[in-house]
Structures are given as C-alpha cells and as structure tokens.
Amino acid sequence: MNDRIEKRIELRASVSRVWRALTDYREFGEWFRVKLDGPFVPGQVSRGQVTYAGYEHLKWEAVVQKMEPERLFSFTWHPYAIDPKIDYSKETPTLVEFKLEQTASGALLVVTESGFNKIPSGRRLEAFRMNDGGWTEQMKNIEKHVAQTP
Amino acid sequence: MSRKRRSEAAARLQARAPIFAALGDDTRLLLVAKLCGGRPHSISQLTEGSELTRQAITKHLRVLERVGIVRSIRRGRESRFEFAPEPMEGIKEYLEFVSEQWDQALSRLKSFVEN
C-alpha cells in the first residue's frame, strides 16, 4: 500500500531564501497558515494556532526532528487532527521532511510525508469531513435547506 | 483543474450516484436531516410528526441503509437508526486529500519566496 506522499517543486529563489521560509517560525506560519508560539528547535514541540480560514479554532502541534541548515528540515505531527475532543498523542505521527537542493535556476524542494499506514481508519473519515465536499457540511446544508423550505 | 483530475472527480461522483439517488426523495432527505445531528433515533421518533406509517418510514430507512449512509443498531426489541456515512474510498481518498493540502501549501510557499 502506498504509505507516503512526495512532492517536488522548483523554486526560483536561493536555497538560503527557501531555508528561511521553511525554518523561521514566522515565515513558515505565513505560507503554512499557522501562528506559531516560538522558533523551531530540534527535539522540541512546536505549538501554535491554525490561521487557515475556517479552521482557526484548531491548534497546531508538531515535534521538530532535524534542522540541517539549507539541506533538511523535518518534523512529526498528526496530520489534520481536527477534532478537539480526540487525544491524538497516542497515535503514531507521520514524518514530514523538507529536503533542499541547489539548482541552476534556484532551489529544488522535495517534501515527503510518510507513515500513513499507522493512522487508524476512523481518522480517515475526519479528513473526509474536513474536505470541502465533506458529508457533515453537506448534511448541515440539507438541514438548513429543509428547515427553510418546510 | 486538469483533464485527468476532472475525470477522477467525475468518477468519484459517479460512484456516489446511488447515494444521491437515495437522497432524491423528500421523505428520505427529511430523515437524513433528522439523523445528521449525530443522535440515533428510534422508528417511533422518526415517525413523529409525519403522516407516514411506521412501515413506510422503515422502508425509506432501509433504502438509506443500503447505500451506506444510515446504520441500524438493535437495542432489545427496538431498532434505532443513526447517520453513518462511511469513508468512500478509505486510505486512498485520505491520501488524495492530504496530497492536495500539500499542493496548496507548496504553491503558497512558491509565491512567498519568489515575490
């Protein structure tokens, strides 16, 4: 079974510029849409608040693994742990790695996220709910519609 | 959206056609709306306020059960029904979803570092 996601993206920016965007907690927060409490430190928990529209009530939490300057940044987390009532800390987290390489035109960024086969099947439903077409949302719409047009 | 993505989305929707068909009925839509709050309901509760008989309501509930968005739980002599949409394609759909989130995040990173 496919257990990982891999993304490759060419960026027209220097490796050091991209490194800063990845590892400076304020810059990371800008594009990842999260307001972090403080800098990333290997071995330490990074906490913050999601700023992605519609999900502002969610907390962000990850454990920083490696920071090898301009080469590798990694953390573990519980992807889309969106139900505030569930304690996700008992689940095996997935590992996210950002690898950087210099290219003629800038930088190549390879992102991998692995370890999905350890996520309990119940969680997949939540991801599904979080999706724009999620059932819960759809059902709320139907409920609203039904209530308005008796 | 690329042609490939569009046809995948169409295929996913097509796989759900029986669900949409099951919902294409006022009574069943109303039943789902009652159940989607998350609390299981007995047939008597679901029949309340309706002009239909228990038998008719039961028949509609079975239709919803067959397409997998309603589940019945037996408690003693009584059946209770709850809203329970199963994840459509399990892990595959989950990975597609996470993958899409990464695409969006990385495209935001791209404009962030290139501007």
Side-chain angles (χ1 to χ4, degrees), chain B residues 1-102:
Chain B
M1 210 191 273
S2 72
R3 188 172 295 177
K4 185 166 171 277
R5 288 270 302 278
R6 218 169 9 230
S7 74
E8 277 171 9
R12 272 210 295 274
L13 279 176
Q14 208 157 40
R16 290 172 198 171
I19 297 171
F20 293 126
L23 290 172
D25 173 280
D26 287 350
T27 305
R28 290 197 288 269
L29 206 51
L30 209 61
L31 287 171
V32 170
K34 277 186 184 172
L35 291 173
C36 74
R39 214 158 38 85
H41 284 62
S42 66
I43 293 174
S44 320
Q45 285 168 328
L46 292 168
T47 311
E48 242 171 50
S50 159
E51 285 168 6
L52 296 175
T53 62
R54 283 175 65 95
Q55 284 75 12
I57 293 287
T58 308
K59 221 176 105 192
H60 282 296
L61 286 166
R62 295 295 172 206
V63 173
L64 293 168
E65 199 180 7
R66 268 202 297 279
V67 296
I69 55 175
V70 157
R71 182 165 55 201
S72 68
I73 351 162
R74 276 204 87 83
R75 190 184 276 177
R77 284 169 53 207
E78 196 185 52
S79 275
R80 287 158 78 85
F81 289 82
E82 66 179 1
F83 180 57
E86 298 300 330
M88 305 278 162
E89 294 174 51
I91 190 79
K92 186 165 162 277
E93 188 139 28
Y94 178 76
L95 284 175
E96 268 169 25
F97 167 74
V98 178
S99 172
E100 215 162 280
Q101 300 303 307
W102 275 118

Side-chain angles (χ1 to χ4, degrees), chain A residues 7-112:
Chain A
K7 303 280 173 193
R8 306 169 77 84
I9 186 167
E10 294 261 6
L11 301 164
R12 286 188 306 277
S14 68
V15 166
S16 55
R17 175 69 197 94
V18 181
W19 179 255
R20 200 169 74 232
L22 292 174
T23 57
D24 177 285
Y25 74 103
R26 285 158 301 209
E27 293 207 2
F28 178 89
E30 283 288 322
W31 63 270
F32 202 90
R33 306 257 166 96
V34 58
K35 191 178 185 320
L36 296 172
D37 297 347
F40 291 126
V41 181
Q44 288 189 16
V45 180
S46 158
R47 289 192 179 87
Q49 200 73 33
V50 173
T51 57
Y52 194 91
Y55 300 97
E56 291 98 335
H57 59 291
L58 298 178
K59 294 222 179 320
W60 148 277
E61 201 177 294
V63 180
V64 179
Q65 302 293 320
K66 288 182 179 159
M67 286 174 88
E68 297 171 13
E70 306 198 351
R71 216 187 67 77
L72 170 72
F73 173 49
S74 64
F75 59 76
T76 52
W77 73 336
H78 300 283
Y80 307 101
I82 57 164
D83 189 341
K85 293 190 291 289
I86 295 177
D87 176 13
Y88 295 97
S89 61
K90 292 182 191 73
E91 296 177 9
T92 311
T94 56
L95 172 68
V96 176
E97 292 179 297
F98 297 88
K99 288 183 190 139
L100 272 174
E101 264 173 52
Q102 197 176 329
T103 63
S105 57
L108 169 70
L109 173 65
V110 181
V111 181
T112 54

